[in-house]
Every structure is written in structure tokens, then in C-alpha cells.
Amino acid sequence: MPSVDKLNFAIRKMGLDVNLDEVKRAYEFAAAAHKGQKRMSGDDFIVHPLETAVNLCEMKVDQASIIAGLLHDVVEDTDIPLSELEKQFGHEVAFLVDSLSKLKKVRYYGSPNYIENLRKMFVAMAHDIRVILIKFADRLHNMQTLDYMPREEQQRIARETLEIYAPIANRLRLGRIKGRLQDWSFRYLYPEEFRFLNNLSMRTYYLRDTNLAQTKANIEKLLTGEKIHVVSLHDRVKFLYSTYKKMLEHDMDITQIYDLIALRIVVPSISDCYSALGIIHRKYKPLKGRIKDYIAQPKPNGYQSLHTTVFGENGDIVEIQLRTPEMHEEAEYGIAAHWHFKERGIREYWDKRLSWVKELAHLIKNMENTQQFESMKIDLFQNRIFVFTPRGDVIDLPENSTPVDFAYHIHTDVGNHCIKCKVNEKPAGLDIRLQNGDVVEIFTDKKRAAPNIDWLKFVQTSLAKSRIKEHHKKKMSDWEENLAKK
Ligand code: MN
């Protein structure tokens, strides 16, 4: 028998600030509404919303999201109208359920309305990020019960998850959710490779178990002996799909994958991270060229940690990741790590770091054909760089972006009137490729009437391209209109 206890347990485990009586009331409401309905697996339907809500806890969401997760299929699949939900659970929950119901019938992969459907999703996301988080939780449970679907559906859903949901989860830095979505897709899209890697990864893990435990114990003793407080120390096995992708680059040779097992060591401060690195290297010999300082140079998605690979006990190769508690939260839960910092303002964080979602929603809105969609897809899946304004604001751009892309990102007028720029305080060409961490200053001239049409040869973002084209189109039609009047 399904029971709300499982959800209560997940809520407590994640330490979420949620009223359990309200959750119970929503659960009972959903159970009554779906009474008699079954899943393909033969389970009572309520298992699905319940598991969706449990998955949501891992993203550290708020109470409204958990309740909306429990109720997410009610309006679509039962006779209960939205107005009743609003009366019972308030406007916020009703809004979330409504957004999800609208997205529910939406198919992305293989649908002729692909673009329109993606647009709907991004518009909903730009409006309220919680919609996509509930969607992830819903999709995750659907992936977990995919065995009961016909083979063709399995393939379609798995591909959609791998190509659309996982990259979005990655952009939102939901590392664990991304890994789980990818691994479930991997199981259905490449079943043989999945089984092979699953066995290999488990075997490697168990073979190394004793040495690993020894390495862990020794490192903990070593650091504590040097007065470094170890907040936590645990190992993680790499997700299978990302292991598979790495192996493809190394002729499927597992011995080339050094981070199959990693030790994550959380210490109180950044200086502790660097001290711990030195202490560990004194005892365990590091592999050449494997020390990576993602604290000084974060990855494009913002990931921070110190990485090194060492020969541990009995010569077993093990990767070590050193980080502060904040970096750890951020790496595991991404945007979700910021949920409970209400006072810092999720809005502010969202507006600054994730403006690309709004940009995309806007672009897709104005899209008519698949060719345009292709350029949007590139924007979404390409690696990103972070560059700065002279005031220190972070601007998130695709790799290979130029100062002109940067200028249009700031404002259309800045783009249209830009005449020259400085990168890291030195004059630079408007067509150079910006690097992660560059500080870019744009100079404009109001007298400059139009953007240079030649910029189209080097700009990277769809935003800059469409603004330049738009401008020239308008000029062209004005000119034609004037001609017609004469
Ligand atoms: Mn559902």
C-alpha cells in the first residue's frame, strides 16, 4: 500500500521546512481524486505523484512545489477543476499545477510542433523555475517505470530526456538530477553498453573497496593531525553515462578513466582546501597533469573544487575532490541550493545567472522554422563562458562569443551603437573571441546609426544575429516605403 510516510521521511532527511499536515492533506486529496486509476505497472496511480514529490525533495524545493508535485496530474486526469485546487490549496499551488497541466500533453521529440512546444516549456520556466523542477521529478519517476511502456515509447521518452531535460538540468547545475536522468536514458537507448558499464563499474568499486576504506581512514587521520577539520569525507562512483562518454574518447579503456571513483572531502574554507591538497600530496604521489584548480578557474557552468589524482593505498588510482560546504551544496543541488536562502532572493540569483532562459524564451517566441531552431539548439547545448562587465556583473555567453555578442547581451542599443571595446583594460577588436573571466568594456557612439552588417560574419549568439538582421530589415523596408511615396 502506498503511504505518505515515504514522503515524510524524504522531507525530514533533506531538512526541508514544510508543514507535514498540509502535505498529508494534499496526499489524501490526490489519492481520493485518482482512486481506481492504475499505472501501466499495475500500481495504484497515486504511487506516481507520491514518487514525484519524493524526487522533488532531493531538489530541496519549497512546500508549494511538493504539494503541486502531489497534485500535478489531478486536473488533467480527473474531474476535479483547477478552481477547486485553488480553493483548497491556494493560488501558488494552483498556478504550478496549471502550468504543468499545460505542458503535460506537450511532446518535444519527434513532434511536428517541436519548436512551439519547447517554447511553451521555456516560457513556463522563465516565469517560474519551479515548473521545470517538478517536471524533472515527474520525468524521473516515469523513467523509473519505463519498463511497462511499449518499446517505441521507451525510445522516444528516453531520447527526449537525454537531449532536452538532461542538458537543462545541467545548465541549472542540478548535478545529481542530470546524472540520474542520463543514466536512465542510457539504460534504454544503449542497453548493451549500459549493462557492460554497470557490471564493470560495480566490479571495480567492490575490488577497490578495502583499499579505498584504508585511503579514506588515512586521509582523515592525516588532515585531523594537521588541525584541518574534515566536515565530511565520502566516495562517489561516477555516473554511468558520463563514464561511457569519457570511455568513447579513450578507446573504451576503463583504466584511462581516473575519476571512476572519487573521494569528496569537504573542509571549512578555501585555504583549508589548498592546505589539505599539500598535505595529501606529501603522503600520496599525485599523477602528473591531473591537478585541476577549479576554485581559481571555475568550470563554465560555475562548478568549483580542487581536483587531484593520486596513487592511494596499494597503488590504486583515486581522484580526490576538495571543496568547501558551499561549493559542495552548489555542485550537488545547483539552483536548488539557493532555495532556502529566501532572504538573499531567489529572484535576484535567477535573473543574474540564468538570464539565458529568458533570452531563449524570447527567441523561440519569434521563431518560425526549424532552421532557426537549429541555431537555438546550438545556444542551449554549447558550452558557456562567464565574462564580466567593468562593474563586475557576470554575463553568461556561449563559447567563442565576441564583444559584439556581449554588447547585445547588455542591451540592444549598446549593440547597435557600439564602436570599439576594451578587453581586460586593453583595446581589442570587436571580433575577437572572448575567454572565460575576461572583463569587457564597450564604447558606444549615439551618432552611429546602424550596426555593421559585416558583424554577421563573426557573431555567435542568435540574439546578436537577429538584432543585426532586424535592424537592417527595418531600414530596408523604411527605405522602400519612402521610395514608394515619391
Ligand atoms: Mn505525471
Side-chain angles (χ1 to χ4, degrees):
M1 236 353 232
S3 149
V4 74
D5 290 347
K6 185 172 183 186
L7 178 56
N8 289 342
F9 179 77
I11 290 171
R12 282 203 206 95
K13 187 178 151 214
M14 296 305 288
L16 305 181
D17 180 21
V18 166
N19 180 334
L20 295 181
D21 292 335
E22 272 295 286
V23 168
K24 188 162 181 247
R25 192 167 71 87
Y27 172 77
E28 279 163 2
F29 185 93
H34 290 295
K35 200 173 163 66
Q37 296 177 349
K38 296 276 178 197
R39 292 276 288 175
M40 292 280 242
S41 59
D43 282 336
D44 286 338
F45 190 88
I46 189 65
V47 169
H48 170 63
L50 180 66
E51 293 295 334
T52 301
V54 169
N55 285 337
L56 273 165
C57 292
E58 191 181 306
M59 290 179 255
K60 296 193 168 183
V61 295
D62 61 352
Q63 179 171 314
S65 310
I66 292 178
I67 291 179
L70 286 169
L71 299 169
H72 80 271
D73 281 325
V74 164
V75 174
E76 196 62 28
D77 294 346
T78 78
D79 295 333
I80 294 166
L82 190 68
S83 55
E84 181 61 23
L85 285 193
E86 178 148 10
K87 214 164 84 194
Q88 292 279 340
F89 300 99
H91 176 71
E92 202 180 353
V93 169
F95 164 79
L96 290 171
V97 173
D98 188 36
S99 308
L100 284 154
S101 306
K102 283 180 184 144
L103 290 179
K104 196 181 167 191
K105 289 223 181 93
V106 164
R107 278 184 174 201
Y108 305 99
Y109 213 76
S111 156
N113 302 324
Y114 196 19
I115 299 164
E116 176 55 20
N117 294 342
L118 265 178
R119 184 187 75 75
K120 278 189 193 146
M121 186 163 76
F122 279 100
V123 169
M125 255 171 88
H127 196 77
D128 192 327
I129 194 69
R130 291 176 296 181
V131 173
I132 193 78
L133 302 185
I134 300 169
K135 201 74 194 146
F136 287 147
D138 173 41
R139 177 52 61 106
L140 205 49
H141 184 247
N142 285 335
M143 293 302 294
Q144 287 159 348
T145 49
L146 213 52
D147 266 350
Y148 303 96
M149 299 295 265
R151 175 146 173 84
E152 219 171 273
E153 277 290 277
Q154 288 177 351
Q155 297 287 306
R156 184 187 67 77
I157 293 171
R159 194 160 291 285
E160 184 174 285
T161 303
L162 190 66
E163 295 188 359
I164 294 172
Y165 289 98
I168 297 172
N170 184 42
R171 290 304 320 282
L172 298 177
R173 288 196 269 163
L174 294 162
R176 281 184 49 77
I177 296 292
K178 178 201 78 173
R180 291 173 69 191
L181 288 170
Q182 283 182 334
D183 279 8
W184 279 105
S185 308
F186 184 39
R187 179 192 290 254
Y188 288 94
L189 290 174
Y190 308 95
E192 272 172 37
E193 289 86 345
F194 175 83
R195 265 193 298 276
F196 170 74
L197 265 178
N198 200 18
N199 290 338
L200 195 61
S201 148
M202 290 222 283
R203 219 170 45 221
T204 315
Y205 185 70
Y206 287 115
L207 278 176
R208 291 190 192 171
D209 200 28
T210 333
N211 295 341
L212 197 63
Q214 193 64 54
T215 309
K216 265 169 32 180
N218 286 350
I219 287 181
E220 179 142 29
K221 230 186 347 198
L222 210 58
L223 295 180
T224 320
E226 301 270 350
K227 303 238 166 355
I228 291 181
H229 173 58
V230 177
V231 179
S232 76
L233 193 163
H234 55 274
D235 55 82
R236 74 102 182 90
V237 183
K238 199 174 173 68
F239 279 106
L240 294 179
Y241 184 67
S242 62
T243 308
Y244 171 66
K245 284 220 313 216
K246 219 172 202 179
M247 278 175 78
L248 286 178
E249 293 167 22
H250 293 102
D251 295 324
M252 294 305 278
D253 179 1
I254 192 90
T255 63
Q256 295 297 305
I257 313 297
Y258 295 129
D259 63 344
L260 194 65
I261 294 161
L263 286 188
R264 289 202 169 131
I265 308 174
V266 179
V267 292
S269 70
I270 289 178
S271 70
D272 290 331
C273 290
Y274 289 103
S275 310
L277 185 74
I279 294 164
I280 290 166
H281 281 169
R282 249 181 277 149
K283 168 144 171 114
Y284 298 107
K285 197 170 142 52
L287 261 77
K288 243 192 179 152
R290 297 278 312 173
I291 303 167
K292 288 171 207 150
D293 187 348
Y294 296 122
I295 292 181
Q297 295 254 289
K299 284 191 183 178
N301 73 356
Y303 173 85
Q304 285 192 300
S305 281
L306 284 183
H307 286 194
T308 182
T309 308
V310 301
F311 294 99
E313 294 303 324
N314 289 322
D316 270 0
I317 288 173
V318 58
E319 180 171 287
I320 289 172
Q321 305 175 347
L322 288 151
R323 45 174 78 160
T324 65
E326 294 76 25
M327 292 173 193
H328 183 59
E329 278 274 295
E330 187 86 28
E332 295 282 286
Y333 305 112
I335 181 179
H338 297 261
W339 269 124
H340 40 291
F341 303 128
K342 278 262 161 66
E343 67 279 11
R344 213 202 283 172
I346 185 74
R347 275 270 156 221
E348 197 187 313
Y349 175 82
W350 164 237
D351 285 346
K352 264 212 175 120
R353 306 296 285 270
L354 301 165
S355 55
W356 60 274
V357 176
K358 288 188 175 171
E359 184 186 322
L360 274 180
H362 171 78
L363 280 169
I364 306 172
K365 202 187 279 178
N366 301 321
M367 241 174 226
E368 282 135 31
N369 54 48
T370 31
Q371 206 194 339
Q372 278 177 311
F373 172 69
E374 283 310 308
S375 68
M376 187 292 318
K377 209 160 114 188
I378 290 164
D379 272 355
L380 175 57
F381 298 98
Q382 211 175 25
N383 285 331
R384 310 286 290 196
I385 55 168
F386 292 102
V387 292
F388 301 90
T389 67
R391 278 179 26 212
D393 293 331
V394 185
I395 305 285
D396 172 5
L397 290 169
E399 255 177 3
N400 296 327
S401 286
T402 64
V404 174
D405 295 291
F406 176 91
Y408 275 104
H409 199 94
I410 304 277
H411 196 274
T412 304
D413 282 340
V414 177
N416 285 343
H417 302 298
C418 92
I419 46 162
K420 59 180 183 176
C421 72
K422 277 185 176 176
V423 174
N424 302 325
E425 301 187 329
K426 288 191 197 85
L430 285 171
D431 60 347
I432 64 151
R433 291 181 174 190
L434 295 173
Q435 306 293 319
N436 225 348
D438 280 345
V439 179
V440 187
E441 190 175 0
I442 300 287
F443 296 86
T444 56
D445 182 354
K446 281 273 143 58
K447 278 175 282 178
R448 178 184 200 122
N452 190 333
I453 201 153
D454 285 339
W455 290 348
L456 286 172
K457 289 179 192 152
F458 59 74
V459 293
Q460 292 291 315
T461 52
S462 334
L463 181 74
K465 276 180 204 154
S466 65
R467 289 289 184 273
I468 297 167
K469 281 184 192 158
E470 235 168 64
H471 198 96
H472 284 283
K473 205 159 64 186
K474 191 171 173 296
K475 254 186 55 185
M476 292 292 279
S477 59
D478 286 350
W479 182 71
E480 275 164 1
E481 227 171 76
N482 279 336
L483 207 67
K485 275 184 205 151
K486 277 178 190 166

